[in-house]
Structure formats: C-alpha cells, structure tokens
Amino acid sequence: MTADRAETRLDEDARWARAERILDAATDLLLRWGYKRVTVDEVAKRASVGKGTVYLHWKTRDALLYAAVLREWLEMFGALIDGIRRDPEELRLHRLIRASFLASMERPLIRATLTQDQELLGRLTEYGAGGALQAEQTAARREYYAMLREHGLLRTDLDPDTQAYALSATSTGFYLATPLVIAEQRPDLSAQADALAWTVRNAFEPVPPAGAAAVRALAPTIIRLFERQRAFAERELRVQHQP
Amino acid sequence: MTADRAETRLDEDARWARAERILDAATDLLLRWGYKRVTVDEVAKRASVGKGTVYLHWKTRDALLYAAVLREWLEMFGALIDGIRRDPEELRLHRLIRASFLASMERPLIRATLTQDQELLGRLTEYGAGGALQAEQTAARREYYAMLREHGLLRTDLDPDTQAYALSATSTGFYLATPLVIAEQRPDLSAQADALAWTVRNAFEPVPPAGAAAVRALAPTIIRLFERQRAFAERELRVQHQP
DNA sequence: TCGATGACCAGATTTCAAGATTGGTCACAG
DNA sequence: CTGTGACCAATCTTGAAATCTGGTCATCGA
C-alpha cells in the first residue's frame, strides 16, 4: 500500500516535471515567435517528447499556451503574497497596485495579456474570458475592496461599484499608456509605478491615512484571500494538466 | 476694386461651401463604412462633384479624411470654449476633463481617434502624429496646467512632468475602458464621466478646493488659450483645404 | 482663360486555386 | 499501459490573374 502510493507519487512528480518542460518550451517559443508561429511540433521537439505526449497533458494547442500564461500568473501571485508577508504595509491599495504593476510589466506574457497584445498572444487574450478563474478574480477583488473599506483603508464616499470601475479604469490607463504614449515623454517603469501609486493613493485612500494597526489587523485575512485565489489558479492549471 | 474683392469673397464662400459638402460626404461614409471602404469616387459622387474636384481641395485621400476628423475636433473645441464662457467653473480640471470626455465620446470620429480604432480610421490614427497641431496641443495643455497651478487649482506636490503623465494615463484609462471592460459591469456614459471627474478631482486638485474667485480671475486667460488652440486647428483645416 | 471633369493608368488590393503546413488522432511499439 | 510519430482533414500560405482605386491631366464649356 505504502509502496503503491510512493510509486504513484513518483509518477505524478515525473509527469509534472515533464509538463513543466513542455511549458518551458512553449513559453520560450511564445516570447520568441508569438502566438501564430508556435507549433505543437516545435514545442514537443524542444521539450524532447513526441507530439502525442503534449496531447496527453492538454486537450488543445490553445489550452497548452494558456497554461503557459497561467503559470506566469501563478508565479506573480506568489510574489505578491510573499511581498505582503514580508511587509504587511504592502497590502495598502496603492502599494499593492504599485507592486502588481511592476510584477506584471516585467513578465512579458502577463503584460501581453493586460495590454491585449494580439501579436504575442493571438486569440489567447480572450481564452480565459468568462471562465471560472476570471469570475473568481473579480469576486476576490471585490472582497479585498470591502475589507479595505471596513478597516478604513479605502474611501467610502463613493458607491462600491462605481469605485471599482474608477479604480479599474485608472489602472488600465497606466498599463496601456506604455505602448500608447510617445517614448520621449514617458518616465521609466518605476517612475510610472510611482505615478500610478500616487494617483491611486490620492484618489481612493482616505486622508489622513489609516494607521499601521489597521494594516496589521487585516494582514492575515488578506493573505488568506490571496492564497485562496492562488490555489484556485493552481487548480485551474492542474486541471489543464490532466485532461 | 470693391467689386473685385466682393467677387473673390463670393468665390471663396462657394469654394468653402463645396469643401464642406465634400467633408459631409466623407464623414458620412467614414462612419458608415470605415476607413478602408471609403473611396474618393464615392465621396465625390455623394457630394455631386467630379473626382478631380476633390483633388482641387486636398492633395491626397488621407488628407481629405483627416480633414473630416479635424473638423469634428474643431467643433468639439468650440463646444468646450462655449461651456467655459457659459460657466467659468467649467475650467476646473475635473469639470473640463468631464466635459471633454463626454464631448469626445459622443463624436464617433473623435472617439475613434482616442481609442485608436483601426477599423474606423485605419492609418489616420497616426496621420497627425508629430504634426504641428499635436505639438501645439501638448504645449497648450502644459500651459493650462501651469496656470491652474499658479491659481491654486492644481496640486503642486508632484513635479509637473510626472503629474502630466499621471493625468494623461488616468484619462486614457477611462477612454479605453469603454471598449475593454465587460458591458455588464460598466456604468452608463454619464456615470463614467462622473467617475472620471471624481477620480481626477481627488487625485489632482488641492484640498480644500480653491475658491470661485480664483476661477473667475483665470477665466479670460484660459479662454484665450483655448481659442488660440482652436484658431490653430482651424488654420490647419484651411491649409488642407487649399493645397 | 480657367475651374471642373471623368477617362485613364500604374500600383495596390482582392480573389481563388494549388500547394504546404499543422492541429489533433490513433494504431502500434516498447 | 504509456509514449510515439505517421497520418488526415482542415486551415493557412502562396502567387498569379483579375479587379479596384488613388491620383493625373487632356479636354470641355462657361
């Protein structure tokens, strides 16, 4: 029985390692060549497996490429959670948005998703739309805002829906301004992140700011919330991984 | 001599009237069919002139279509200036941005320009880039911000360049959120405008707000600035109109 | 005399069919 | 029972022929 379980465990580990090799290859090709030019054959070759093996892991090419993107999201999520663990002050809206901005921008696949980069991601930009993950993210964001409000870390002089819309629109602007605005008059990435944080803090956080005690009190709940999201995304990745 | 001038005047009026007919036709077709499908032949036919006549007014097809867009800009400019004249309070940053947002969104050609709508405008989206008009607009915006600062209508706790960037990025978000965000969770247009105004006021205007006196004092200068811009754009339109 | 015109042309765009590529399957090898 | 790559249908690419259209200019008529 123990042997059985151990053997299965080894199989699963090996299987996951292989999946990661395939995802590595897919990610590499996606970045190098863009959505259209990535072929399953080439991915298989670079991962040193047969093409059929790729289809043992994912139902379709799109599912494979989406998994590659998903893996980067997962990685970014982990980084954000670590950040909050390291310093709970990081959970303040403007700090978290600043960190998210930087973390997204330095991960090409995520940046491409957020900027709807057709060249790099093709129809993948709409692959997850309407999916369970997206619904989960929206719900989690809503909960995050609600908690911030409860602890005096977010203004309450605007109804939550409108506020969420305004916040989303504001952030969107900074994400998209990068390709849109002319290079000359654009500050460097960390200055952009600072400008975004500054704007968000002034527009959405109360004055005077809530004290550190509120932040510390909230930290465990927020971390739990984000870990729930991370776990959800991870499950999504595993499902893709075992059709 | 008087007769001469009168005759010339009549000619110019008739010429302009014809140019407007052509622009009407071009605008109509642009909205109906989009950039690619608009043909000079069809525009000429609808304006009841020969194709050659179109080329007596504009050097190229693109110049013609750009003029159609330019005319809408001009119209919008006039509307904004009128608004400030009617109520100087309208020159406050958040009020002006609100008005600009609504005025842009209800003019399809302008909205298309701002959202970089390739389907509707094709390469026209980059036609004016680097042109004198764009430079003028940037300069005028800079002057506007400087004046707001001088009169206590804009925060001064951020350096002007970064502030201009943040403001531009923030607005961009609201302009682009329209096509990007899912329809369900998007408020109607005037609620969007309100959310934008609310965000801008909180993020970029001082608390407490400057009094009405400052606004009244500034009004004439601002109106003059915007009229200079309008005149500049009008000149650009006339130049296109007489090659 | 001179502004207006539309036939005309070169170059750009579209069409369409033949050929090449590739996502996905499955019979078979190990 | 897992992994593979030959295989197939469907999609995509190619390129040449056909069509379309921006821009010109010889001509017309006021």
Side-chain angles (χ1 to χ4, degrees), chain B:
Chain B
M1 217 160 83
T2 310
D4 251 28
R5 206 184 296 148
E7 199 181 308
T8 304
R9 193 65 217 292
L10 273 176
D11 274 351
E12 296 236 320
D13 279 359
R15 190 180 164 79
W16 175 246
R18 187 177 63 185
E20 290 233 83
R21 278 213 325 281
I22 299 174
L23 286 177
D24 288 342
T27 303
D28 188 44
L29 287 176
L30 209 44
L31 291 177
R32 207 184 288 277
W33 296 351
Y35 178 82
K36 275 193 312 187
R37 298 185 194 289
V38 176
T39 67
V40 177
D41 254 321
E42 187 63 25
V43 171
K45 192 172 296 171
R46 296 218 177 192
S48 310
V49 296
K51 181 158 71 153
T53 306
V54 172
Y55 286 93
L56 292 177
H57 288 278
W58 295 277
K59 285 189 292 296
T60 65
R61 169 178 178 271
D62 278 1
L64 160 66
L65 297 182
Y66 178 65
V69 176
L70 201 55
R71 198 175 54 157
E72 277 211 351
W73 273 101
L74 213 65
E75 190 188 301
M76 188 186 83
F77 248 89
L80 291 179
I81 293 171
D82 286 353
I84 299 176
R85 261 200 243 279
R86 214 175 301 122
D87 175 9
E89 282 290 320
E90 201 73 5
L91 66 73
R92 283 184 199 267
L93 183 65
H94 74 277
R95 294 280 294 269
L96 192 67
I97 283 189
R98 199 199 117 98
S100 301
F101 178 81
L102 286 172
S104 304
M105 285 309 188
E106 66 199 17
R107 287 179 175 79
L109 291 184
I110 294 179
R111 184 172 57 203
T113 305
L114 295 173
T115 57
Q116 302 275 313
D117 184 331
Q118 295 296 321
E119 170 64 22
L120 197 61
L121 290 184
R123 64 187 165 200
L124 280 189
T125 53
E126 46 205 75
Y127 189 87
L133 181 60
Q134 193 143 327
E136 161 72 11
Q137 303 248 16
T138 305
R141 201 157 39 226
R142 208 183 296 272
E143 284 178 58
Y144 170 60
Y145 296 153
M147 286 189 223
L148 289 182
R149 274 173 173 253
E150 274 168 33
H151 288 71
L153 286 158
L154 187 63
R155 287 183 179 227
T156 51
D157 57 347
L158 188 63
D159 78 282
D161 283 344
T162 309
Q163 190 176 50
Y165 171 78
L167 193 42
S168 152
T170 303
S171 307
T172 299
F174 285 81
Y175 282 98
L176 296 185
T178 299
L180 250 55
V181 175
I182 297 144
E184 323 266 335
Q185 65 204 34
R186 188 173 65 226
D188 69 53
L189 205 62
S190 96
Q192 287 173 42
D194 288 340
L196 170 57
W198 187 89
T199 304
V200 166
R201 179 161 61 179
N202 285 325
F204 299 98
E205 295 185 22
V207 280
V215 169
R216 255 179 284 118
L218 197 49
T221 322
I222 296 284
I223 290 177
R224 216 174 311 124
L225 174 62
F226 283 150
E227 278 189 331
R228 193 189 80 199
Q229 254 184 294
R230 211 192 79 89
F232 195 99
E234 196 161 18
R235 213 172 312 139
E236 181 111 340
L237 185 59
R238 297 286 179 168
V239 166
Q240 296 289 357
H241 167 242
Q242 277 179 346

Side-chain angles (χ1 to χ4, degrees), chain A residues 18 50 52-53:
Chain A
R18 187 177 62 185
T53 306

Side-chain angles (χ1 to χ4, degrees), chain A residues 15 18 36 48-53 56:
Chain A
R15 190 181 164 79
R18 187 177 62 185
K36 276 193 313 187
S48 312
V49 296
K51 181 157 70 153
T53 306
L56 292 177

Side-chain angles (χ1 to χ4, degrees), chain A residues 31-156:
Chain A
L31 291 177
R32 206 183 289 277
W33 295 352
Y35 178 81
K36 276 193 313 187
R37 299 185 194 288
V38 177
T39 67
V40 177
D41 253 320
E42 186 65 25
V43 171
K45 191 171 299 171
R46 295 217 178 192
S48 312
V49 296
K51 181 157 70 153
T53 306
V54 172
Y55 286 92
L56 292 177
H57 288 278
W58 296 277
K59 284 188 295 296
T60 65
R61 169 178 178 271
D62 277 2
L64 160 66
L65 297 182
Y66 178 64
V69 176
L70 201 55
R71 196 175 54 157
E72 277 212 350
W73 273 101
L74 214 66
E75 190 187 299
M76 187 185 85
F77 248 89
L80 291 179
I81 293 171
D82 286 352
I84 298 175
R85 260 200 245 280
R86 214 174 302 121
D87 175 10
E89 282 291 321
E90 201 73 3
L91 67 73
R92 285 186 198 265
L93 183 63
H94 75 277
R95 295 278 296 266
L96 192 66
I97 283 189
R98 198 198 118 97
S100 301
F101 178 83
L102 286 173
S104 304
M105 285 310 190
E106 67 200 17
R107 287 178 175 79
L109 291 184
I110 294 179
R111 184 172 57 201
T113 304
L114 294 173
T115 57
Q116 301 276 310
D117 186 331
Q118 295 298 318
E119 171 63 24
L120 196 62
L121 290 184
R123 63 188 167 201
L124 280 188
T125 53
E126 48 206 73
Y127 189 89
L133 180 60
Q134 192 142 328
E136 161 71 11
Q137 302 249 14
T138 304
R141 200 156 39 224
R142 208 183 298 273
E143 284 178 60
Y144 170 60
Y145 296 153
M147 285 190 227
L148 289 182
R149 273 173 172 251
E150 274 168 34
H151 288 71
L153 287 158
L154 186 63
R155 287 182 180 227
T156 51

